[in-house]
């Protein structure tokens, strides 16, 4: 049954809806199983029969069993190692043994070795023993001898196939390694040849020392040039101030141990390196000083003595004293001489600067030449190192690969297959089929197919079987009551006073109470129309019995047959069908003249009348409205039995004029889609639907528990005191 219908009415809480939905499904499947249990029995029987026919129709089979065992394999990383195989390897063994190629090879082997044996079909199945590397190979055939021979041939062909595959793989691997060895050998020879040519073209002794002599000599030349430039700068400073330069020379000589005023080293010689120009080459003197420098220092010393002597004479004598005058004149002469020596020293320094500048130019030329030589020699050293390392690396790679090839060859020579035959094929034995498991499988399979078919048909069937299903599909509709199903054949007799159908009568009393005590928003209905979606839902019987029940309660009730096409209310009461409502609507007589009394007190009947066309127009007329008003004034309740909503437009046209409409749904018969469409049509016509009556509900369901207490409604029979005491004692 489809559950995705969009049906009218307000929605309930989600929790309650889920409860109703679960209960509805359970009840529906329970009803389905109770009604269609024979279908499951049928499908289960068919399944058992199919299995029995399959077993009895199967030809005689013989089986032979053999076993294979798998070990490890060799792997090649840095070393040759052994490792156990994994699941992928096991799967390869199984697929190979079961392959068509292995069967073809085994067949050729059997034909070649046993030409007198007749061919027969053999089925091969391989299964791995759980938790081990053992494979059970099962051969099934119709001939016992051929089955065993074929299985042995299959094992031999499998081992031979693996041997050929292994030899091909070994040859391929060895060929790859040998090719790599040849390539590495060629690379090594090329590297050695390049190194030999380089050694032949260059001074190998100078290169292999690992020292760049040109670079060392270049460093010495640059140091000399810097020393000469420093000396040249010192000379420039000395020429600018000869007196300061000579004082510095005198202090240096004094620090070296020479007496003041003693000739010392030449000016500027303190910072000169070895190989610098010596002043003694011009005029050698003590400590390498020139004669002019020595004379300059002696004159300066003499001037100092004269200044001291003059100062002492001036203490004793005046300026004009002859001794003072003599000393003053001699002091002036010495100063003039000192100036002459200073000029001579400057000339010597200028000459020395020119010589040093020439030497600096020579050093610059030598440095430029040595730079080129040092760069060339450095490049050759780097090239030599590169070629030597490349040759060593190529030789090491070649030696290592060659050793690996030798080890692989030795392993290949001693290697055995890691899959072997553990047990050869045993003599074939007859396969006796077990009947129990196939029969159980057929029984379960047949029931499963039956359940699937029933569920499929149930999904296509949207008929409602229980109150829970109706409440799930129509959560907003109020259920006034449920009328239990009557199992007698033919038409159901009307209710009567003291009716012995207690459950049936109590259901209508329940509906009557629902109508009397329902909250009608302050206006209880007087005119009530009862309808359904389609014919054959028991609408007329429900309407008649409800009218009888209302009359038995003391209310004055008029039952009118408004189904002007096929109404049958008069037939239930065994009264004439004419004249009736149709004549009153057409104005042939007053409706009161057509009313008939029934056998039930307080209940009158207005029959259908003659059938005529255009009934909808008559029900929409002013006459119908006036008739309803008069009926409501004269009776407590006016109950109309009408045509089905989806069959004719009569009900949908007449229902809006009445106070309330009750909708009848027949359980296990009415489709939910049709009921929903009919209710939608009534809601669109603004009809006041007072509730739903569920007709022919099954009293065997748990939701109708109160029906199971039917004995409660039976009046106890009169018994003597002794007979009444025995049940009382039993209850206590």
């Amino acid at each position: 049954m489809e559950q995705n219908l969009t049906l009218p009415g307000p929605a309930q809480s989600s929790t309650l809806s889920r409860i109703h939905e679960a209960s509805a499904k359970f009840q529906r499947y329970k009803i389905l199983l109770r009604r269609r249990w024979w279908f499951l029995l049928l499908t289960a029987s068919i399944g058992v029969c199919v299995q029995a026919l399959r077993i009895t129709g199967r030809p005689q089979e013989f089986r032979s069993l053999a076993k294979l065992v798998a070990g490890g394999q060799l792997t090649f990383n840095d070393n040759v190692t052994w490792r156990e195989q994994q699941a992928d390897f096991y799967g390869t063994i199984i697929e190979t043994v079961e392959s068509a190629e292995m069967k073809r090879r085994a067949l050729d082997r059997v034909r070649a070795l046993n030409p007198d044996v007749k061919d027969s079909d053999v089925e091969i199945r391989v299964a791995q023993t759980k938790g081990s590397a053992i494979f059970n190979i099962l051969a099934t055939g119709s001939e016992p001898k051929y089955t065993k021979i074929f299985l042995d041939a299959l094992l031999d062909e499998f081992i031979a196939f693996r041997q050929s595959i292994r030899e091909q793989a070994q040859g391929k691997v060895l060929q790859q390694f040998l090719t790599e060895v040849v390539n590495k050998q060629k690379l090594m020879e090329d590297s050695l040849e390049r190194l030999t040519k380089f050694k032949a073209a260059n001074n190998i002794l100078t290169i292999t020392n690992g020292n760049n002599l040109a670079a060392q000599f270049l460093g010495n030349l640059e140091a000399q040039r810097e020393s000469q430039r420093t000396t040249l700068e010192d000379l420039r400073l000395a020429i600018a101030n000869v007196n300061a330069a000579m004082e510095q020379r005198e202090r240096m000589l004094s620090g070296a141990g020479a007496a003041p005023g003693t000739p010392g080293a030449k000016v500027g010689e303190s910072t000169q390196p070895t190989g610098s120009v010596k002043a003694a080459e011009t005029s050698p003197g003590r400590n390498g000083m020139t004669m002019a420098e020595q004379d300059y220092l002696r004159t300066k010393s003499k001037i100092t003595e004269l200044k001291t002597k003059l100062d002492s004479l001036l203490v004793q004598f005046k300026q004009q004293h002859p001794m003072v005058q003599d000393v003053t004149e001699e002091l002036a002469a010495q100063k003039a001489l000192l100036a002459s020596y200073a000029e001579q020293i400057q000339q010597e320094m200028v000459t020395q600067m020119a010589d040093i500048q020439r030497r600096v130019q020579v050093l610059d030329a030598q440095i430029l030449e040595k730079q080129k030589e040092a760069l060339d020699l450095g490049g050759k050293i780097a090239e030599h190192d590169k070629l030597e390392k490349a040759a060593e690396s190529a030789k090491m790679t070649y030696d290592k690969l060659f050793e690996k090839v030798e080890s692989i060859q030795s392993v290949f020579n001693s290697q055995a297959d890691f899959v072997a035959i553990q047990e050869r094929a045993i003599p074939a034995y007859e396969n006796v089929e077990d009947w129990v498991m196939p029969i159980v499988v057929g029984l379960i399979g047949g029931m499963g197919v039956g359940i699937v078919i029933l569920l499929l048909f149930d999904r296509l069937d949207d008929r409602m079987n229980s109150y829970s299903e109706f409440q799930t599909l129509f959560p907003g509709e109020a259920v006034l009551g449920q009328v239990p199903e009557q199992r007698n054949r033919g038409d159901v007799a009307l209710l009567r006073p003291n009716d012995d159908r207690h459950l049936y009568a109590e259901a209508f009393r329940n509906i009557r109470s629902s109508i009397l005590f329902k909250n009608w928003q302050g206006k209880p209905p007087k005119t009530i129309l009862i309808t359904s979606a389609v014919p054959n839902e028991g609408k007329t019987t429900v309407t008649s019995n409800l009218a009888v029940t209302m009359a038995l309660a003391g209310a004055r009730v008029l039952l009118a047959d408004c189904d002007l096409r096929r109404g049958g209310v008069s037939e239930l009461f065994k009264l004439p069908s004419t004249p009736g409502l149709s004549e009153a609507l057409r104005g042939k007589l007053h409706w009161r003249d057509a009313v008939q009394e029934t056998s039930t007190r307080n209940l009158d009947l207005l029959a259908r009348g003659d059938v005529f066309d255009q009934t909808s127009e008559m029900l929409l007329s002013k006459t119908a409205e006036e008739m309803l008003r008069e009926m409501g004034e004269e009776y407590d309740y006016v109950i109309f039995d009408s045509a089905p909503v989806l069959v004719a437009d009569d009900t949908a046209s007449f229902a809006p004029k009445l106070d309330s409409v009750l909708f009848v749904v027949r359980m296990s018969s009415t489709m939910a889609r049709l009921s929903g469409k009919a209710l939608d049509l009534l809601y669109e016509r603004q009809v006041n639907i007072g509730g739903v009556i569920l007709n022919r509900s099954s009293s065997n369901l748990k939701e109708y528990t109160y029906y199971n207490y039917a004995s409660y409604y039976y009046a106890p029979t009169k018994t003597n005191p002794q007979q009444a005491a025995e049940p009382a004692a039993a209850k206590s």
Side-chain angles (χ1 to χ4, degrees), residues 549-689:
T549 305
M550 298 289 283
L552 291 177
R556 296 185 68 252
V557 180
L558 174 63
L559 175 59
D561 191 351
C562 195
D563 187 355
L564 302 180
R565 302 174 189 271
R566 296 183 58 183
V569 176
S570 57
E571 295 176 3
L572 290 178
F573 286 91
K574 296 181 174 52
L575 294 174
S577 60
T578 58
L581 182 60
S582 62
E583 286 80 4
L585 290 175
R586 286 180 291 176
K588 292 184 178 181
L589 51 79
H590 194 270
W591 66 270
R592 290 188 182 90
D593 297 332
V595 172
Q596 306 176 55
E597 292 184 358
T598 64
S599 59
T600 303
R601 188 178 61 179
N602 298 328
L603 177 61
D604 293 337
L605 173 65
L606 179 59
R608 176 195 64 202
D610 294 333
V611 177
F612 69 99
D613 296 332
Q614 297 181 345
T615 56
S616 297
E617 288 77 1
M618 292 294 100
L619 293 174
L620 290 173
S621 64
K622 295 292 184 180
T623 303
E625 294 181 359
E626 182 65 24
M627 186 184 306
L628 287 176
R629 185 184 62 78
E630 294 176 356
M631 290 178 179
E633 293 176 353
E634 187 166 342
Y635 290 91
D636 295 330
Y637 294 98
V638 181
I639 301 177
F640 289 90
D641 179 31
S642 65
V645 175
L646 300 180
V647 173
D649 188 59
D650 299 356
T651 302
S653 300
F654 188 58
K657 299 178 179 294
L658 279 75
D659 295 338
S660 181
V661 172
L662 304 184
F663 194 82
V664 177
V665 176
R666 179 177 176 179
M667 293 287 95
S668 303
S669 177
T670 306
M671 294 183 180
R673 184 176 290 102
L674 297 179
S675 298
K677 186 176 181 181
L679 288 171
D680 284 339
L681 181 59
L682 294 177
Y683 279 120
E684 289 175 359
R685 302 292 176 88
Q686 299 182 2
V687 175
N688 180 23
I689 299 178

Side-chain angles (χ1 to χ4, degrees), residues 50 59 140 176 192 235 282 425 453 507 516 537 581 591 640 686:
V50 169
T140 304
Q176 291 177 349
L192 292 176
L235 289 175
T282 304
I453 294 175
L516 293 176
E537 296 195 53
L581 182 60
W591 66 270
F640 289 90
Q686 299 182 2

